[in-house]
Amino acid sequence: MRQELLSLPKGLAEEVSKNLVMVARLIDEDPEQAYAYSRIALRLASRVAAVREAAGFAAYATQKYSEALAEFRAAKRMTGSVELWPVMADCERGLGRPERALAMAGEPEVQKLDKAGQVEMRLVAAGARRDQGQLEAAIVTLQSPELASSAVQPWTARLRYAYADALLAAGREDEAREWFGKALEADKDGATDASDRLAELDGVEFVDAAVDLSDDDEIENEDLAQDDQDDQDEDDEDDDEDPAEVAAAERATDVTEYYDEDDEEYEPLEQSADDADVRGDKA
């Protein structure tokens, strides 16, 4: 890529390289934003093969398969390389043309691919078989020396996972569980969800702690709201009492509290007219 960019004026090369860096940085976490940067680079340097390839992958990540295929074909014409052959075949699958993907799997270009490219082509071909409803053919397509090998390569986890998934789709659950386990053993980078698939087969359910916590908080808030309402009701009851009755009750309490029959100095408090009226009304 660096060599290709050197063919551009210095300022233009720097601008293009900045956009390509952003494509590479965002393509996994924000494909749409990566696609936007790829379009800028494409406008600036459409005759650079690396730019066409980056634009192709950005379009592929956003499922714009027709656009991606056009960019990959352009990059292939510019470089003469066949390394994009598997992803071009997968674009055909994305466009609903699995028969074309299978035809590409039988072309001489496949023999020119390195081992990783050949495994990728096998995965695409198996996917095309499944698109056509040919589950057993997909399983046979994935059965290869690379699958049987105990050595772990960058493609091993994905190959084993695809095989397990095809077995499960065919109703061969025990074999699928075994191969999901093997995929998990090889998946050091978490490229697959083999652990989740195994748990699903074993009937294990994961509880979302955040949801439970939210439910607990909701219950607690309801309890607090009820307590506040009870306090408010008590305050309202106090507000409804007759002030004259409250005053009489307080004076009666004073008499009771300070009365002592053994106290010679005790003199009963005189009853006020208001208190008499209140007690008379009560009677």
Side-chain angles (χ1 to χ4, degrees), residues 12-282:
L12 180 58
E14 291 179 354
E15 189 66 24
V16 172
S17 64
K18 289 178 182 178
N19 284 280
L20 294 181
V21 167
M22 294 305 297
V23 171
R25 182 178 299 172
L26 295 172
I27 196 166
D28 291 328
E29 60 187 51
D30 192 347
E32 290 292 344
Q33 192 65 31
Y35 175 77
Y37 279 108
S38 75
R39 301 308 296 177
I40 297 173
L42 195 59
R43 286 197 300 269
L44 294 173
S46 61
R47 296 185 179 182
V48 175
V51 172
R52 304 301 290 267
E53 182 177 332
F57 277 110
Y60 179 80
T62 53
Q63 299 183 3
K64 298 177 176 65
Y65 297 117
S66 181
E67 187 177 324
L69 185 56
E71 298 301 339
F72 290 142
R73 285 173 175 169
K76 180 178 178 296
R77 284 196 303 270
M78 292 176 179
T79 63
S81 173
V82 298
E83 65 179 7
L84 294 174
W85 196 255
V87 70
M88 290 169 63
D90 205 38
C91 286
E92 295 287 5
R93 284 187 62 213
L95 291 169
R97 303 191 293 239
E99 68 284 352
R100 292 193 184 184
L102 287 172
M104 292 179 68
E107 294 292 333
E109 282 82 355
V110 177
Q111 304 304 318
K112 300 176 184 179
L113 294 169
D114 59 13
K115 182 61 67 177
Q118 291 180 2
V119 171
E120 194 66 35
M121 192 70 240
R122 190 178 294 276
L123 288 168
V124 173
R129 292 291 187 189
R130 292 189 61 174
D131 293 342
Q132 295 179 324
Q134 302 172 4
L135 285 175
E136 290 300 329
I139 291 171
V140 172
T141 300
L142 293 169
Q143 291 171 346
S144 61
E146 293 80 16
L147 180 67
S149 175
S150 60
V152 175
Q153 303 293 342
W155 62 79
T156 301
R158 292 178 58 242
L159 181 59
R160 293 177 179 178
Y161 182 92
Y163 187 60
D165 193 46
L167 289 169
L168 185 61
R172 296 157 63 174
E173 186 173 309
D174 291 339
E175 294 175 82
R177 181 183 287 102
E178 176 187 354
W179 281 96
F180 276 129
K182 291 181 178 181
L184 183 59
E185 291 175 0
D187 193 2
K188 305 302 182 184
D189 300 325
T192 72
D193 63 346
S195 60
D196 294 340
R197 299 298 297 275
L198 275 173
E200 182 180 345
L201 285 172
D202 293 335
V204 177
E205 294 183 3
F206 295 98
V207 177
D208 190 341
V211 172
D212 288 348
L213 181 59
S214 177
D215 292 342
D216 292 342
D217 290 342
E218 183 176 350
I219 293 172
E220 182 177 353
N221 290 336
E222 291 177 357
D223 292 341
L224 291 174
Q226 185 61 46
D227 291 342
D228 291 341
Q229 184 62 43
D230 293 342
D231 292 342
Q232 182 63 41
D233 292 342
E234 291 178 2
D235 293 340
D236 292 342
E237 291 176 0
D238 293 341
D239 293 340
D240 292 339
E241 292 181 356
D242 189 338
E245 294 180 9
V246 173
E250 289 177 350
R251 281 191 287 272
T253 301
D254 292 340
V255 172
T256 303
E257 181 176 356
Y258 296 108
Y259 174 73
D260 186 351
E261 293 179 349
D262 297 330
D263 188 352
E264 296 178 353
E265 298 180 358
Y266 167 72
E267 295 182 4
L269 293 174
E270 295 183 359
Q271 177 177 319
S272 69
D274 291 341
D275 293 347
D277 292 340
V278 169
R279 278 192 284 276
D281 291 341
K282 287 297 181 179

